[in-house]
Amino acid sequence: MNPQNTIYVGVDLHKQHHTAVIIDCWNQKLGEIKFDNKPTAYPWLIKAVRKHLKNGMQAVYGLEDIGGYGRALAIYLYEGGYIVKEVNAKLANARRKSHVTVEKSDSWDAECVAKVLRDELPHLPDAKPIDLYWAISQLVNQRRWVVKNLTGLLKKLHQQLSYHYPSYKTFFSQVDGKTALGFWWRYPSPHHLEPVTVERLAQFLRALSNNGLSTKKAMQIKELVQTDGSTWRDFQDKRDFIVRSLVRDIRCSERNLARLETEIQELMGSLGFQLETMTGIDLVTSAELVAEIGDIHRFANSDKLARFAGIAPIKVGSGNKSRNYKSKQGNRELHAIVKALAIRQLAVTRTKKEPRNPYFHHYYEQKLKAGKTKQQAIVCIMRKLVNIIHYLMKTKAAYTIPEVSNHDAG
């Protein structure tokens, strides 16, 4: 692709309308177009861009958000045979801040996207919106929202229970377990327990826990309630209502979470990946990886995937000195997922305290002996993980832990 025969179209995306700015290879602004975010308006963009194309020239389009407001436009351009690239928002934001006077407008944002597109074209992934990956991404995002909401509900439940049952944390191993939620629903505050005998409470607990809990637990709860003393206050029925409302919402969120994971599993099964064969990757983690990466064939090699995830180091030099720095750009969601996965590679079994992944545990120790800090060693693991993830997704192979010889382990 000859830069002198290329024009670059950066698009700033919004819910109702988009703004596109066209520049040439010398960073000169050729034009600006505003158009509605609907399929009937997209041909107008193509028509406006063609006015700046001379014989033998071609246009390249750069979009920041191909999974949200820009998805429909990305699909239209991709299916029309146009070159479309995904421009990470961090790159565009860094370009905006690199100027002496920092502006903020739709026009300037679009121009910054176009400039990143011009300078980083060989390194940017193709924008290939595929419905399957998009559906997985939507389900993963919905699951994140439900988990976040569930965490908030549990915090509120803890707060309310602390008013009613000062020793509530010792009642059950899990405050939000099936038996515990059933107990809070039936007895939201201690005064509901007063007329209940130990045997009657034991029968209730047996039914909830499939005979896992019985008389001993019932006696313990009754004794703790008596030791705590009375917590009854005016308008107690209103406070009881809050506890039951939280229990109902938690149960609803947990059912919703289970349904979401079933839907995710069905879609992931159609892809045929075996990411879950790797240490530390379960269904949710594999779906999160796929949601952020999308079609792995967008990345010709693992180096490009590492750059996309912000894991590839940035070389900074002056004179005869140079140093590699950790990148703060790239897809931060993907970066966080890979970092968490890297930390899980260092986990050990609970009983024998043996490494779950001896290869990466040994690799980590090697990096520490070589003078790396713990954080630097984890980044090294992250970079290796990108290579493995790229290979597993491209080949759909299963992961096998490489053997570590006794000599190396010593």
Side-chain angles (χ1 to χ4, degrees):
M1 185 181 294
N2 187 348
Q4 294 186 4
N5 292 330
T6 306
I7 62 173
Y8 306 88
V9 185
V11 187
D12 183 49
L13 306 161
H14 292 280
K15 185 176 182 180
Q16 300 296 333
H17 67 272
H18 301 325
T19 301
V21 168
I22 308 167
I23 65 171
D24 59 18
C25 64
W26 294 281
N27 270 334
Q28 293 180 332
K29 185 175 179 180
L30 303 178
E32 179 179 331
I33 310 106
K34 276 195 173 185
F35 57 100
D36 292 335
N37 182 18
K38 55 185 181 181
T40 54
Y42 299 158
W44 186 39
L45 169 66
I46 304 299
K47 186 177 180 181
V49 171
R50 281 176 179 168
K51 293 179 181 178
H52 301 279
L53 291 174
K54 298 178 182 178
N55 292 335
M57 295 186 69
Q58 63 178 334
V60 181
Y61 296 82
L63 282 69
E64 274 188 339
D65 179 16
I66 65 167
Y69 297 142
R71 176 175 168 76
L73 176 60
I75 291 174
Y76 176 84
L77 293 171
Y78 176 72
E79 291 181 347
Y82 300 98
I83 302 174
V84 195
K85 295 289 184 176
E86 182 179 356
V87 178
N88 189 280
K90 288 277 185 179
L91 296 175
N93 189 48
R95 180 57 59 92
R96 187 188 305 112
K97 291 182 178 179
S98 67
H99 291 260
V100 177
T101 302
V102 180
E103 301 179 31
K104 187 70 177 76
S105 66
D106 295 347
S107 176
W108 180 238
D109 288 348
E111 188 169 345
C112 287
V113 173
K115 288 182 176 181
V116 172
L117 180 65
R118 171 195 172 276
D119 296 340
E120 303 288 338
L121 183 60
H123 308 292
L124 297 175
D126 294 332
K128 295 181 179 179
I130 300 174
D131 288 338
L132 175 57
Y133 296 104
W134 183 67
I136 291 173
S137 175
Q138 294 295 297
L139 287 170
V140 166
N141 289 335
Q142 181 66 11
R143 186 189 177 279
R144 284 175 183 163
W145 182 87
V146 172
V147 169
K148 184 178 180 180
N149 184 54
L150 183 57
T151 302
L153 290 171
L154 288 173
K155 286 182 179 179
K156 292 178 182 178
L157 180 62
H158 276 277
Q159 182 184 42
Q160 292 299 320
L161 292 176
S162 68
Y163 300 148
H164 298 177
Y165 295 100
S167 303
Y168 77 96
K169 288 187 178 180
T170 59
F171 284 17
F172 305 100
S173 58
Q174 288 183 303
V175 175
D176 60 330
K178 178 185 174 183
T179 304
L181 290 177
F183 180 86
W184 310 131
W185 177 267
R186 177 70 69 87
Y187 309 110
S189 59
H191 80 275
H192 292 278
L193 270 175
E194 291 176 2
V196 180
T197 64
V198 171
E199 183 54 36
R200 184 179 167 191
L201 179 58
Q203 289 176 357
F204 175 73
L205 294 175
R206 284 192 201 100
L208 281 176
S209 62
N210 295 324
N211 295 319
L213 301 174
S214 58
T215 307
K216 184 178 179 180
K217 175 57 70 175
M219 291 177 63
Q220 180 191 13
I221 291 174
K222 293 284 283 185
E223 288 173 1
L224 287 170
V225 169
Q226 187 175 4
T227 303
D228 289 340
S230 175
T231 58
W232 187 91
R233 293 293 182 271
D234 290 340
F235 309 106
Q236 185 65 51
D237 59 326
K238 306 303 180 187
R239 296 164 59 202
D240 292 348
F241 169 79
I242 294 174
V243 172
R244 283 174 170 155
S245 177
L246 289 170
V247 170
R248 182 175 58 250
D249 290 346
I250 289 170
R251 284 171 167 171
C252 180
S253 293
E254 289 177 344
R255 288 194 298 269
N256 195 14
L257 199 60
R259 286 196 292 266
L260 282 168
E261 290 179 359
T262 299
E263 296 292 336
I264 290 172
Q265 188 171 25
E266 183 180 333
L267 291 184
M268 288 296 293
S270 65
L271 286 171
F273 294 139
Q274 300 188 69
L275 292 170
E276 293 166 56
T277 58
M278 185 172 187
T279 310
I281 298 184
D282 56 10
L283 170 67
V284 174
T285 305
S286 62
E288 287 176 339
L289 286 169
V290 171
E292 297 301 331
I293 295 172
D295 183 6
I296 192 63
H297 296 95
R298 297 192 302 154
F299 305 96
N301 51 56
S302 58
D303 291 339
K304 290 193 174 183
L305 179 57
R307 185 180 179 87
F308 176 74
I311 296 172
I314 297 175
K315 189 173 183 179
V316 177
S318 178
N320 294 325
K321 297 181 179 179
S322 63
R323 184 178 176 183
N324 289 332
Y325 284 89
K326 182 181 178 182
S327 173
K328 293 184 179 180
Q329 299 175 349
N331 185 314
R332 304 318 292 174
E333 286 287 349
L334 181 57
H335 185 278
I337 294 167
V338 177
K339 183 175 182 179
L341 181 58
I343 294 171
R344 287 199 287 272
Q345 302 309 306
L346 305 177
V348 296
T349 58
R350 290 185 179 180
T351 52
K352 297 183 178 180
K353 303 298 181 182
E354 295 177 346
R356 293 187 181 277
N357 191 323
Y359 172 77
F360 274 115
H361 196 275
H362 172 64
Y363 180 74
Y364 177 75
E365 295 294 335
Q366 278 187 321
K367 292 300 177 183
L368 293 181
K369 289 179 182 177
K372 300 284 187 183
T373 66
K374 291 182 178 180
Q375 287 300 318
Q376 288 172 337
I378 288 175
V379 172
C380 293
I381 293 176
M382 292 170 65
R383 185 60 187 86
K384 269 191 172 292
L385 283 172
V386 169
N387 293 345
I388 294 170
I389 291 168
H390 186 270
Y391 174 79
L392 293 181
M393 291 183 69
K394 213 154 196 180
T395 63
K396 298 186 179 180
Y399 175 73
T400 303
I401 299 177
E403 292 185 4
V404 179
S405 66
N406 293 331
H407 175 72
D408 290 337

